[in-house]
Amino acid sequence: MWPRIGGLRTLDLGTPGKMRARLNTLVRNGVKTATAGLLDEYADEGEELERVGERLALVDDHDTLVGVVEVTGVEVVRFADVPWDFARSEGEGDRSIEEWRAGHAAYWARVGTPVTDDSRIVCVRFRLVSAGDGGVLGT
């Protein structure tokens, strides 16, 4: 089960360190409005998929609240079928869907969960509703 803060599931992007700090900054600046995860990780953790309208606590390396996002869309697709408009909304600077796929495949391989074209990817879109600590939820 994923950690909770004030009843909200946490959203810990990337790996701890520079990557997570960069991704959190992109979210807080409104550049990153989506994230991709592996469907198998949800089953492994006993978690349900996010649902539209759900709020998630964006956390740093120490599980400290740095913002709150609201889920605006959830879709499960094959890795080979992730659309470019979704990949672009991740805001990580990829210049093409091929670049996005190569970068994400390399990331998941590095963390020990290699993907294939048929791997199921959870594509989560969100909007920032609160930036900063304190857990103030925007509308």
Side-chain angles (χ1 to χ4, degrees):
M1 192 167 228
W2 293 336
R4 306 300 200 259
I5 294 179
L8 302 179
R9 288 195 278 182
T10 59
L11 176 60
D12 57 349
L13 299 171
T15 52
K18 289 181 183 180
M19 177 186 238
R20 182 164 300 151
R22 181 176 68 82
L23 296 176
N24 283 349
T25 297
L26 291 172
V27 171
R28 290 170 50 119
N29 289 339
V31 175
K32 182 173 180 61
T33 59
T35 193
L38 299 174
L39 183 60
D40 289 346
E41 291 177 344
Y42 288 78
D44 293 346
E45 295 288 332
E47 284 291 342
E48 296 179 5
L49 294 181
E50 292 85 355
R51 62 191 179 288
V52 172
E54 180 180 7
R55 290 187 174 188
L56 306 171
L58 182 66
V59 296
D60 65 12
D61 291 347
H62 308 286
D63 290 329
T64 300
L65 181 67
V66 297
V68 175
V69 300
E70 182 177 337
V71 176
T72 60
V74 179
E75 184 179 15
V76 178
V77 299
R78 292 174 58 244
F79 181 66
D81 296 333
V82 172
W84 172 235
D85 70 299
F86 173 82
R88 189 175 46 241
S89 68
E90 281 205 282
E92 298 175 29
D94 295 309
R95 295 171 296 218
S96 68
I97 190 63
E98 294 78 18
E99 189 174 302
W100 180 91
R101 285 190 184 114
H104 280 68
Y107 167 77
W108 281 316
R110 259 192 330 272
V111 298
T113 51
V115 295
T116 68
D117 282 351
D118 291 326
S119 296
R120 306 297 285 177
I121 306 301
V122 181
C123 299
V124 179
R125 295 179 184 267
F126 54 80
R127 69 181 184 92
L128 183 67
V129 295
S130 174
D133 57 9
V136 177
L137 301 179
T139 57

